[in-house]
């Protein structure tokens, strides 16, 4: 094929190319080792030296022209591709948005967060323990040997003779003491607990507690009262008062039940507090010496207090919720009333 003829053909075909694939085919057709431009070179064999010079220069010029054309086209096609991509991905800011439901924090999670903030502020740490617990930690090391009548206070789900679903968060005390081996402790432990209760407005077979344990030199009942007053005021309101009444728990001696001034009448007496002005919120006491000893602590050296508060109970008092089952029904009309406390 003549040089000029080939040039014209190449220009036409490269101009009509519409994609990078086609352009690559054209590149192979004209510029590869076995391509049309190379085959023109083969004609050189039959030419004189003078002719070779001009012919060679012409073929070179043809090669440069085709290369330049292909490069130009390649840039054009690449630009086009970017432009198309940008157009495709363009965001139309005038388009109406679609609405979605914003979730709210569960009221129990909100109160747990508040408890953690309060006690972290007092220098406590947050501890955890398993919901599937052994009898030894849930009862025996808490001064409740097998057959102890006080076991009846908590009707427990047993998996076998040794394993159970924890009926209280108190076994976390045992775990912490065994871990700390005689050293001072200040922890709270919020978590799930289980009891074989018939569900009704005030009972749930699965509920939550928050345990507290402080051990150290010269810790007294006054420290317990101080910590619980801070908690009650923070969660239920600055105007709240607390009082301690003697009670019984196997893991504390002395044991107390703690009341808060009535959230409804403020202490004057109403139907909610049965005219007493007080509402019971938790159990507590000084950790029993037997418990300290069984968990590796010397009561002569270190003593302290523990408490266990029902999280549903204080959340119900805080928000005036009358049925514990509301927490677990997942009715959005109930849940949406709670916005995260800031
Ligand atoms: N575990 C007790 C319960 O579930 C509550 C409790 C009472 C916890 C006294 C304590 C405590 O740590 O000292 O009824």
């Amino acid at each position: 094929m003549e040089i000029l003829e080939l040039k014209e053909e190449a220009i036409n075909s490269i101009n009509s190319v519409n994609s990078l694939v086609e352009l690559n085919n054209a590149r192979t057709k004209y510029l590869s080792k076995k391509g049309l431009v190379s085959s023109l070179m083969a004609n050189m064999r039959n030419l004189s030296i003078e002719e070779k010079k001009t012919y060679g220069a012409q073929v070179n010029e043809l090669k440069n022209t085709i290369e330049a054309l292909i490069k130009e086209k390649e840039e054009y096609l690449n630009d086009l591709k970017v432009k198309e991509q940008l157009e495709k991905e363009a965001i139309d800011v005038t388009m109406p948005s679609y609405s979605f439901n914003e979730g709210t924090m569960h009221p129990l999670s909100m109160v747990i967060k508040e408890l953690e903030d309060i006690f972290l502020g007092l220098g406590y740490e947050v501890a955890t323990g398993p919901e599937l617990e052994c009898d030894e930690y849930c009862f025996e090391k808490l001064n409740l040997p097998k057959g102890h009548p006080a076991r009846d206070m908590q009707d427990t789900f047993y998996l076998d003779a040794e394993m159970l679903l924890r009926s209280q968060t108190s076994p976390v005390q045992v775990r912490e003491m065994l871990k700390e081996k005689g050293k001072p402790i200040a922890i709270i432990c919020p978590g799930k607990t289980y009891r074989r209760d018939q569900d009704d407005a005030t009972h749930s077979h699965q509920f939550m507690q928050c345990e507290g344990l402080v051990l150290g030199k010269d810790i007294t009942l006054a420290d317990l009262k101080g910590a619980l007053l801070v908690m009650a005021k923070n969660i239920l309101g600055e105007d709240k008062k607390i009082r301690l009444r003697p009670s019984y728990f196997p893991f504390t001696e002395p044991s107390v039940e703690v009341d808060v001034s009535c959230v409804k009448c403020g202490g004057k007496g109403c139907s909610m507090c049965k005219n007493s002005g007080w509402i019971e919120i938790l159990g507590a006491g000084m950790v029993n010496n037997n418990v300290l000893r069984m968990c590796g602590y010397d009561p002569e050296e270190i003593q302290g207090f523990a408490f266990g508060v029902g999280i549903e109970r204080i959340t119900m008092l805080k928000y005036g919720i009358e049925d514990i089952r509301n927490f677990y029904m997942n009715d959005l009309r109930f849940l949406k009333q709670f916005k995260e406390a800031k």
Side-chain angles (χ1 to χ4, degrees):
M1 203 188 286
E2 285 301 321
I3 293 179
L4 283 180
E5 216 178 304
L6 183 61
K7 188 171 174 177
E8 206 181 308
E9 189 215 278
I11 290 172
N12 284 337
S13 79
I14 291 169
N15 277 343
S16 64
V17 152
N18 276 324
S19 71
L20 287 165
V21 178
E22 281 172 32
L23 190 66
N24 236 351
N25 291 342
R27 195 198 318 268
T28 315
K29 179 174 171 192
Y30 297 109
L31 299 179
S32 66
K33 264 194 193 148
K34 288 185 179 157
L36 294 176
V37 174
S38 295
S39 69
L40 285 180
M41 290 292 197
N43 299 338
M44 299 257 269
R45 255 177 286 137
N46 314 319
L47 301 177
S48 69
I49 292 182
E50 272 311 301
E51 282 169 335
K52 265 184 190 159
K53 259 193 192 156
T54 37
Y55 188 82
Q58 281 172 338
V59 174
N60 248 342
E61 199 259 343
L62 172 65
K63 191 176 156 218
N64 291 340
T65 308
I66 296 177
E67 269 174 2
L69 268 176
I70 287 181
K71 195 164 166 247
E72 197 184 320
K73 190 80 185 197
E74 194 171 28
E75 278 166 12
Y76 168 79
L77 288 171
N78 275 330
D79 283 353
L80 199 69
K81 209 167 121 185
V82 172
K83 225 173 107 194
E84 275 172 10
Q85 184 100 354
L86 284 175
E87 266 166 26
K88 214 165 66 194
E89 290 172 6
I91 295 170
D92 179 358
V93 290
T94 64
M95 233 158 85
S97 67
Y98 51 90
S99 65
F100 53 89
N101 281 333
E102 202 180 329
T104 52
M105 214 168 171
H106 194 279
L108 294 176
S109 307
M110 273 163 47
V111 168
I112 290 172
K113 191 165 165 265
E114 275 186 69
L115 283 167
E116 290 179 350
D117 285 348
I118 294 164
F119 283 100
L120 286 173
L122 293 175
Y124 290 53
E125 284 174 43
V126 177
T128 54
E131 289 166 34
L132 190 56
E133 189 50 280
C134 55
D135 186 280
E136 188 190 352
Y137 291 176
C138 197
F139 293 126
E140 278 177 54
K141 279 195 158 39
L142 288 168
N143 205 26
L144 270 153
K146 289 204 167 79
H148 193 290
R151 283 198 179 208
D152 293 346
M153 286 161 81
Q154 304 178 5
D155 203 351
T156 308
F157 286 113
Y158 276 88
L159 278 83
D160 56 34
E162 188 51 32
M163 297 308 288
L164 48 84
L165 288 173
R166 68 178 179 193
S167 52
Q168 50 184 357
T169 41
S170 304
V172 186
Q173 294 184 24
V174 174
R175 289 177 173 272
E176 285 299 305
M177 285 189 260
L178 293 175
K179 199 169 82 197
E180 293 301 328
K181 298 192 170 63
K183 290 205 289 278
I185 293 177
I187 52 133
I188 58 160
C189 164
K192 288 197 187 112
T193 44
Y194 303 82
R195 282 187 204 175
R196 289 176 46 158
D197 277 332
Q198 205 69 41
D199 292 359
D200 62 24
T202 52
H203 295 84
S204 171
H205 61 282
Q206 184 249 292
F207 58 105
M208 298 186 98
Q209 284 189 340
C210 180
E211 196 75 13
L213 173 70
V214 175
L215 295 179
K217 260 200 169 327
D218 305 324
I219 301 284
T220 70
L221 204 65
D223 297 310
L224 167 69
K225 193 172 180 186
L228 294 179
L229 186 61
V230 170
M231 180 187 88
K233 281 177 176 287
N234 267 281
I235 297 213
L236 299 172
E238 265 307 307
D239 57 333
K240 296 293 172 291
K241 297 190 196 85
I242 59 166
R243 73 172 184 187
L244 273 49
R245 273 184 296 109
S247 184
Y248 171 76
F249 296 103
F251 24 89
T252 42
E253 183 57 40
S255 301
V256 293
E257 266 170 325
V258 179
D259 298 339
V260 66
S261 48
C262 181
V263 290
K264 199 166 171 193
C265 66
K268 285 194 220 71
C270 67
S271 60
M272 184 166 184
C273 58
K274 299 193 184 83
N275 278 324
S276 72
W278 296 97
I279 293 176
E280 187 209 317
I281 53 166
L282 59 91
M286 299 305 291
V287 179
N288 191 306
N289 285 350
N290 290 338
V291 174
L292 289 173
R293 274 189 224 99
M294 276 188 279
C295 297
Y297 279 70
D298 177 0
E300 301 295 323
E301 289 291 319
I302 275 190
Q303 60 290 121
F305 63 77
F307 62 88
V309 56
I311 294 175
E312 282 84 352
R313 176 132 182 92
I314 51 171
T315 309
M316 287 165 86
L317 292 174
K318 182 180 170 82
Y319 293 111
I321 298 163
E322 279 169 5
D323 194 322
I324 194 173
R325 289 169 293 197
N326 280 318
F327 292 123
Y328 300 105
M329 304 274 273
N330 285 330
D331 184 335
L332 287 179
R333 290 168 302 181
F334 170 76
L335 295 174
K336 277 189 168 171
Q337 299 175 75
F338 302 92
K339 289 263 177 259
E340 187 176 355
K342 290 266 155 48

